[in-house]
Amino acid sequence: MFWDEEKECMSQEDMEELQLKRLQDVVKTAFNEVPYYHKRYSEEEVYPEDIETLADIEKLPFTTKTDLRASYPFGLFAVPQKDIIEIHTSSGTTGKPTVSGYTEEDLDIWGELIARGFTMMGVDENDIIQNTHGYGLFTGGFGVHYGGQKIGATVVPISTGQTLRQIELMKDFQSTMLIFTPSYGLHIAEELKSMGITPDDLNLKVIGFGSESWTEEMRQQIEEKFQTPAYNIYGLTEVMGPGVAMECSEQNGLHLNEDHFYPEIIDPVTMKQLPENQSGELVLTTLTRVGMPLIRFRTRDVTKIRHEKCGCGRTLVKMDKITGRTDDMLKIKGVSVFPSQIEKALLSINGVEPHYQIILTRPDVLDQIEVKVEASPDIFFDNVKELVGIKEKLEHAIHDEIGLRVNVSLVEPKTIDRVESGKAVRVIDKRNE
């Protein structure tokens, strides 16, 4: 077990005292060692000595992905390149990738924070962790790997894809923990069912998932198909990777490691801080990162935070699951829609599988929404009348959720592409074609 009771159960007053000291240190380091921050803060006429309270963080400008790309590749490092022992990057699908550099101390902290989370989930040195996250420049695989090793568990670094091999090793190695993205986990479950393998044939006791959006209904499906509790893991490449926040056994929000990351929730329009329990964009400041400190980084993730003593005994601030991204929000007929809202509506109706795509078109001057979703095999092949009823139920459920009319197409099982590596493609926007 990896349990840092002093930090994880610290009073809010003591935590804020620790955060302030670390914030002052990181702002000073960034100003003195990172040319980008020195220039930016000098232009804004804000200096390290201006940070006298935690509230003073609002004096500092935000850091964005655009800033990281402009500093590509190593412009945000705060240490000599020889002290950076590992580099990860984002996918770079929208331009130059964002680069994340780690010192030996950074990797040690990363492993420690993942180990904290695994302990919350009941994982210890006796467990076998099968890690289906990628091991390339993507941070997911390595974060899980370091945390598993830190806790003393056995890590199986199989990485993404190879689904039949995944299943074979799950059975042969008697893996007790499985790490996956929600969409890939559902694909594994689908293959298990087609092979006649039930949860009783496996030795799983816990699932860790993340790296893409999901709804509570999708989690319920994962838990039902694997007969195993599934816990959310949150992180992002720019800040560290997975382990920024993780769920405990209560499954009632993620404990954000606020002794290492200072969280703010802002209104993405006004850029002003919002109070606790109010939804907005998550902004993170790294408090202990050595190689590449980031100050007021706009994650674009939409959530809310709250301080409360959890049933597990921890006092670390709670963060709700991500409900969407400010840059993934769809503007349809003037209405703001998150794909997760449509998923929630889909999975509230029996008779469909959790595999879908949202297709946006503009045949004339008005946006049109088509939602393709796979029907359950027993219904699609046996009951045409029931299909019509399910289609109508789905259209009503989506309308109730987003306030817009959509056309639902029920398609044959296993006809929507599965993604074995990376994130599932949920939205296809053809409006500008």
Side-chain angles (χ1 to χ4, degrees):
M1 306 289 280
F2 202 94
W3 165 244
D4 186 350
E5 186 173 358
E6 179 190 356
K7 298 294 193 304
E8 295 180 68
C9 298
M10 187 176 280
S11 70
Q12 188 173 347
E13 183 180 68
D14 289 344
M15 179 62 74
E16 289 176 355
E17 184 179 333
L18 175 64
Q19 288 175 325
L20 177 58
K21 181 183 182 305
R22 289 181 169 179
L23 176 63
Q24 290 169 330
D25 289 344
V26 76
V27 171
K28 184 177 181 180
T29 297
F31 183 80
N32 291 334
E33 305 297 337
V34 182
Y36 163 79
Y37 282 116
H38 186 93
K39 181 175 183 292
R40 186 80 186 278
Y41 291 175
S42 296
E43 290 172 348
E44 298 282 339
E45 296 186 346
V46 58
Y47 301 97
E49 55 268 25
D50 295 327
I51 308 302
E52 298 178 339
T53 69
L54 284 175
D56 288 334
I57 196 170
E58 287 198 89
K59 297 176 180 178
L60 302 170
F62 295 105
T63 307
T64 67
K65 278 193 176 185
T66 300
D67 298 321
L68 269 63
R69 292 188 179 109
S71 302
Y72 179 88
F74 303 148
L76 285 173
F77 289 177
V79 299
Q81 186 266 321
K82 66 181 179 61
D83 294 333
I84 298 291
I85 65 171
E86 189 165 308
I87 289 174
H88 290 277
T89 76
S90 66
S91 61
T93 53
T94 56
K96 284 287 187 183
T98 58
V99 174
S100 199
Y102 304 76
T103 64
E104 185 175 353
E105 184 178 347
D106 292 330
L107 293 184
D108 189 57
I109 290 172
W110 192 8
E112 176 188 328
L113 298 186
I114 291 280
R116 274 188 192 181
F118 284 171
T119 297
M120 293 181 201
M121 302 173 190
V123 177
D124 59 28
E125 68 274 10
N126 298 306
D127 283 290
I128 298 175
I129 302 172
Q130 187 161 324
N131 184 13
T132 78
H133 280 340
Y135 271 80
L137 291 170
F138 173 57
T139 54
F142 281 90
V144 168
H145 192 96
Y146 296 143
Q149 289 185 330
K150 179 75 75 172
I151 212 169
T154 302
V155 181
V156 182
I158 187 169
S159 194
T160 54
Q162 312 173 72
T163 304
L164 298 182
R165 181 71 167 150
Q166 298 274 6
I167 292 170
E168 180 183 30
L169 294 187
M170 253 193 290
K171 291 186 65 180
D172 294 348
F173 292 176
Q174 289 291 285
S175 303
T176 58
M177 184 180 197
L178 189 59
I179 302 286
F180 52 54
T181 61
S183 57
Y184 186 49
L186 289 167
H187 178 53
I188 293 174
E190 194 174 51
E191 291 300 316
L192 285 167
K193 184 177 180 180
S194 70
M195 296 167 70
I197 299 172
T198 70
D200 290 339
D201 298 319
L202 306 173
N203 196 38
L204 290 178
K205 76 173 192 182
V206 61
I207 286 168
F209 67 96
S211 296
E212 65 184 16
S213 63
W214 57 279
T215 58
E216 195 59 41
E217 289 77 10
M218 182 175 279
R219 189 224 295 266
Q220 290 168 5
Q221 290 218 14
I222 289 170
E223 292 187 334
E224 181 182 336
K225 291 175 186 295
F226 286 95
Q227 290 296 295
T228 306
Y231 300 98
N232 190 10
I233 301 171
Y234 173 77
L236 58 165
T237 299
E238 294 82 5
V239 171
M240 181 182 74
V244 172
M246 297 175 74
E247 265 187 329
C248 68
S249 55
E250 297 291 307
Q251 292 182 305
N252 179 31
L254 301 92
H255 288 286
L256 194 150
N257 288 303
E258 57 180 323
D259 52 327
H260 293 274
F261 310 100
Y262 183 74
E264 302 171 75
I265 301 294
I266 66 165
D267 182 317
V269 177
T270 66
M271 306 293 187
K272 298 298 183 183
Q273 281 188 9
L274 296 173
E276 288 195 13
N277 279 305
Q278 193 164 332
S279 183
E281 181 182 336
L282 177 66
V283 173
L284 292 171
T285 295
T286 63
L287 298 177
T288 57
R289 192 165 177 190
V290 178
M292 190 179 137
L294 283 184
I295 299 171
R296 303 199 82 195
F297 179 72
R298 293 188 60 184
T299 68
R300 303 290 183 176
D301 291 324
V302 178
T303 184
K304 55 186 175 183
I305 59 175
R306 62 191 188 276
H307 280 93
E308 60 184 34
K309 185 162 184 178
C310 183
C312 73
R314 293 171 179 82
T315 55
L316 292 170
V317 67
K318 280 277 191 76
M319 176 184 115
D320 281 7
K321 69 173 288 296
I322 302 302
T323 56
R325 288 181 55 82
T326 57
D327 53 1
D328 281 352
M329 183 180 71
L330 305 171
K331 204 75 170 178
I332 305 169
K333 297 181 180 178
V335 177
S336 299
V337 176
F338 289 107
S340 58
Q341 292 177 281
I342 293 177
E343 178 180 297
K344 178 182 178 182
L346 288 175
L347 297 183
S348 69
I349 306 297
N350 293 327
V352 297
E353 298 295 304
H355 302 286
Y356 67 93
Q357 283 187 330
I358 302 163
I359 302 168
L360 305 175
T361 56
R362 188 178 290 141
D364 39 55
V365 294
L366 293 177
D367 294 340
Q368 301 293 324
I369 315 170
E370 179 187 10
V371 179
K372 287 186 177 180
V373 59
E374 292 182 7
S376 299
D378 53 339
I379 294 174
F380 188 84
F381 295 112
D382 298 334
N383 198 327
V384 175
K385 184 177 179 181
E386 191 170 353
L387 281 177
V388 175
I390 291 173
K391 169 183 163 67
E392 292 175 351
K393 286 181 181 178
L394 290 169
E395 290 175 346
H396 284 305
I398 294 172
H399 179 263
D400 289 344
E401 184 68 32
I402 67 173
L404 295 172
R405 299 287 179 190
V406 305
N407 176 41
V408 171
S409 299
L410 289 169
V411 299
E412 186 176 342
K414 298 189 178 182
T415 54
I416 292 177
D417 289 342
R418 307 297 193 256
V419 177
E420 294 196 351
S421 60
K423 302 178 183 181
V425 178
R426 300 295 195 197
V427 179
I428 300 174
D429 194 341
K430 298 181 177 181
R431 288 178 293 180
N432 294 320
E433 292 183 1

